[in-house]
Amino acid sequence: MDFVSQSIQEAVRGAMDDSTLLVADSHNFPIVQGLGATVLVAEPHIDVVNDIRTTHRYEKVIAVGGCSALDVGRACAEPGALTVFPSILSHSCLSTDRSVLIRDGIRTSMRTVAPVVTVISKPSVQAAHRGQGVKWTASGLGDLFSSLSASIEYQWPSGADDRIQLSLIGVTSRVPIVRAAAEWVLGSPGQTGDLDLWTLARYSHESSLEVLRLGHTRLNAASEHLLCYRLQERYRYPSDRATHGRLVSIGTLLVCAMFSRSSKEHDFYRSIRRLYEKSGLPSDYGGLNRIGVQREHILRGLDDLAHTNCLLGRLYRRYGSGMADDVFG
């Protein structure tokens, strides 16, 4: 990961040549479109990827923006030919080799291309996270902490949905980067807006590199992401309110609560509640309503998962709506 003192426009200009295709989201498209051939990404749809691959000639790809632009850029690039410029730290997929793309209305994770380098424009990212933009910091933390619930699910065997022999050390030792990030947040003075963005960027970067080292995403994304995708597909929330990380954090809190209940690790759940408070993540129905997510939405999303074998689906089949009400009520 490279940190630069230039604006995104200046930094991208320095990385361009005639063989480069720019892929940008709606916020960054006006900023970079004059630098060369540029494609606007509204949604990370597989049809967008296919269209880019068939109608544009390029050798290198630069992706600029949030997760959707980076996902499309990864899907369009060839190995060794991708540079990414995240403009916000709203997710923890900065440097991975996976993309979440929409196919037939369903979001699906697929292996794509890892960037050669991830470039953080310090002035541009800092400006994006000021004031109301602190929601992007909270979102990035929400996505990062999803590894806690993914680690629980990774070790929670199917059919053992009441009492499990799984220790807290067994959960956190598999995701040491995220454990360190949680300790950093809990030990930091102030609230979300006071956190050091560059520390967050490093944790997000390192977390995404774990996917490359492990060769799978099972410790980064599990039921909590599936619930997020179901909510997004059903309710089409405004992305600047119900951000990806905020939606993912719903399932993370549910899984952590059920783990604590089953394993008797009650201090862990209390720590997670404090972590949510420090991070600015919604932890009750009131906070969820403020971002447009209603109780009925969560129950409908869980009901969708009840037809699958993922952990949240299995738990919802067993405990029903009381599982959510105990946590968010």
Side-chain angles (χ1 to χ4, degrees):
M1 172 179 285
D2 288 347
F3 292 94
V4 298
S5 58
Q6 302 164 298
S7 69
I8 277 185
Q9 185 184 53
E10 293 168 329
V12 169
R13 181 184 289 114
M16 288 283 297
D17 64 28
D18 292 340
S19 67
T20 304
L21 177 70
L22 291 174
V23 176
D25 59 17
S26 58
H27 175 75
N28 290 280
F29 182 80
I31 297 172
V32 301
Q33 68 175 129
L35 302 178
T38 311
V39 176
L40 170 64
V41 174
E43 282 192 317
H45 204 288
I46 190 66
D47 291 345
V48 174
V49 174
N50 293 336
D51 182 65
I52 290 172
R53 283 187 164 276
T54 57
T55 61
H56 294 271
R57 298 183 63 183
Y58 57 90
E59 295 177 9
K60 297 187 293 185
V61 173
I62 292 178
V64 185
C67 201
S68 293
L70 303 192
D71 279 341
V72 170
R74 283 189 284 263
C76 292
E78 296 296 328
L82 173 67
T83 301
V84 298
F85 286 80
S87 61
I88 50 177
L89 305 177
S90 63
H91 51 85
S92 59
C93 58
L94 301 186
S95 309
T96 186
D97 64 346
R98 301 298 200 282
S99 294
V100 176
L101 301 175
I102 303 171
R103 186 197 300 269
D104 298 326
I106 304 298
R107 284 172 166 80
T108 305
S109 176
M110 58 187 67
R111 186 185 294 274
T112 49
V113 170
V116 176
V117 63
T118 300
V119 183
I120 302 292
S121 163
K122 295 182 78 171
S124 296
V125 169
Q126 195 164 43
H129 285 253
R130 289 195 186 110
Q132 293 298 313
V134 73
K135 65 191 172 192
W136 301 125
T137 311
S139 181
L141 291 168
D143 199 25
L144 186 62
F145 297 145
S146 67
S147 284
L148 294 171
S149 55
S151 179
I152 291 168
E153 182 159 355
Y154 184 75
Q155 300 169 84
W156 193 323
S158 177
D161 298 336
D162 187 16
R163 292 288 181 265
I164 55 171
Q165 299 300 315
L166 175 60
S167 69
L168 179 58
I169 292 176
V171 169
T172 59
S173 64
R174 289 186 179 270
V175 288
I177 294 166
V178 175
R179 178 183 61 195
E183 292 170 351
W184 163 64
V185 171
L186 288 172
S188 297
Q191 298 296 318
T192 319
D194 303 310
L195 293 173
D196 178 66
L197 291 177
W198 322 130
T199 302
L200 172 58
R202 290 188 181 94
Y203 279 130
S204 297
H205 173 68
E206 287 297 322
S207 177
S208 61
L209 291 183
E210 279 289 278
V211 176
L212 305 182
R213 288 191 281 264
L214 293 171
H216 63 76
T217 61
R218 286 175 290 167
L219 290 174
N220 298 77
S223 287
E224 75 291 326
H225 274 74
L226 295 178
L227 178 60
C228 167
Y229 300 151
R230 296 300 181 271
L231 293 174
Q232 288 176 311
E233 289 154 10
R234 279 194 175 278
Y235 300 106
R236 310 287 294 181
Y237 305 110
S239 60
D240 63 343
R241 290 180 61 204
T243 64
H244 172 78
R246 283 171 165 172
L247 291 176
V248 164
S249 75
I250 298 170
T252 298
L253 192 57
L254 287 170
V255 169
C256 288
M258 297 306 292
F259 163 75
S260 294
R261 172 177 170 174
S262 295
S263 64
K264 305 298 186 181
E265 293 280 4
H266 302 302
D267 286 343
F268 170 69
Y269 182 58
R270 284 190 282 268
S271 294
I272 295 296
R273 300 287 300 198
R274 290 198 304 273
L275 188 64
Y276 271 52
E277 180 182 357
K278 290 272 290 186
S279 302
L281 294 168
S283 59
D284 57 34
Y285 284 134
L288 289 167
N289 285 338
R290 284 190 286 276
I291 64 171
V293 179
Q294 300 174 21
R295 174 181 180 271
E296 292 73 20
H297 297 178
I298 297 172
L299 299 184
R300 183 63 183 269
L302 289 170
D303 191 61
D304 286 344
L305 297 185
H307 304 290
T308 75
N309 197 43
C310 74
L311 180 56
L312 278 176
R314 299 188 333 249
L315 291 172
Y316 188 70
R317 288 198 300 268
R318 184 178 183 89
Y319 296 108
S321 61
M323 179 176 76
D325 291 340
D326 287 347
V327 172
F328 297 110

